[in-house]
Amino acid sequence: MRIGLFGGSFDPVHMGHLLAASESADRLELDEVHFVTAARPPHKRPVAPAEARHEMVVLATILDPRFRTSRLELDHPGPTFTVETLRRAARRWPGAELFFITGADAYRDLATWREPEALVELAQMVAVSRPGYDLSRIDPFFRERVRPIEIPGYDISSTEIRRRIAEGRSVRYLVPYEVEVYIAKHRLYREAR
């Protein structure tokens, strides 16, 4: 099995995330891509509650048979660290080849993550970049150990989506329809942050 673990706060999950997961699955010949919603990431503070972010990921991924949702971090007490998530994944899927997929911007700070050298031992590290993102900004230790994947033509961010919602603007076609409805129903992101 070749399993991708797509980590992120998904605050909210958007079409760029889905495109990144699909491109990663195709290019890396992955059997499955598990969206691992960060419960309490140590490097940022999500706006929406963890369960709401996970529920939006469930709604967004349901139509692609390659996609799965994971509670590897949500059901873990305390702060969540990628190295521990990868160790839990290795125990859950012994013998599987693991790929950790995240945005290239996260790799700028990878050297500050817990046990950064162990990350490359546990999984193939994959950096998904947006158009125009300079991959040379990745920490030098990881630059040689990270597989970059550039996603064509979809420059979108969760920050921009939250800003648009706070301004009362549409996010149609930026997030899956089911996620748009969930955000409206639960009145998420009404205040700029």
Side-chain angles (χ1 to χ4, degrees):
M1 284 283 283
R2 292 168 64 88
I3 297 175
L5 301 169
F6 188 3
S9 56
F10 304 120
D11 195 20
V13 63
H14 55 67
M15 300 303 273
H17 292 130
L18 299 176
L19 181 59
S22 181
E23 285 289 310
S24 296
D26 289 345
R27 294 188 199 179
L28 300 170
E29 299 178 352
L30 301 177
D31 296 298
E32 300 174 350
V33 177
H34 292 252
F35 283 67
V36 181
T37 305
R40 292 163 293 284
H43 289 81
K44 66 165 67 171
R45 294 184 63 187
V47 176
E51 285 298 332
R53 291 182 288 111
H54 177 72
E55 288 171 7
M56 287 186 281
V57 169
V58 169
L59 292 169
T61 59
I62 201 160
L63 294 178
D64 193 316
R66 301 169 300 175
F67 295 168
R68 308 281 187 277
T69 57
S70 173
R71 297 188 63 87
L72 276 173
E73 292 196 1
L74 291 172
D75 294 337
H76 181 73
T80 52
F81 297 96
T82 300
V83 68
E84 294 165 0
T85 300
L86 291 176
R87 286 181 177 133
R88 285 192 297 278
R91 287 191 297 272
R92 179 173 288 177
W93 298 290
E97 190 173 358
L98 300 177
F99 295 79
F100 180 73
I101 305 162
T102 196
D105 53 331
Y107 283 93
R108 283 189 310 232
D109 304 321
L110 203 60
T112 67
W113 292 15
R114 181 172 285 187
E115 298 180 59
E117 296 82 11
L119 296 172
V120 296
E121 301 297 323
L122 293 163
Q124 168 68 53
M125 306 302 282
V126 180
V128 177
S129 71
R130 297 179 186 165
Y133 184 83
D134 183 5
L135 289 172
S136 69
R137 293 164 58 186
I138 293 175
D139 182 273
F141 174 81
F142 294 101
R143 198 173 301 133
E144 302 301 318
R145 296 165 176 86
V146 170
R147 181 170 178 172
I149 293 181
E150 185 154 339
I151 303 303
Y154 217 95
D155 189 15
I156 183 174
S157 73
S158 295
T159 302
E160 171 68 12
I161 291 167
R162 291 191 306 268
R163 186 180 62 73
R164 290 176 68 96
I165 293 168
E167 293 172 355
R169 296 171 59 203
S170 174
V171 293
R172 175 121 340 137
Y173 309 120
L174 299 176
V175 299
Y177 175 74
E178 296 81 3
V179 172
E180 180 184 4
V181 170
Y182 185 97
I183 289 169
K185 179 179 178 182
H186 295 278
R187 305 182 56 79
L188 298 174
Y189 311 118
R190 299 286 178 155
E191 297 178 20
R193 190 166 170 204

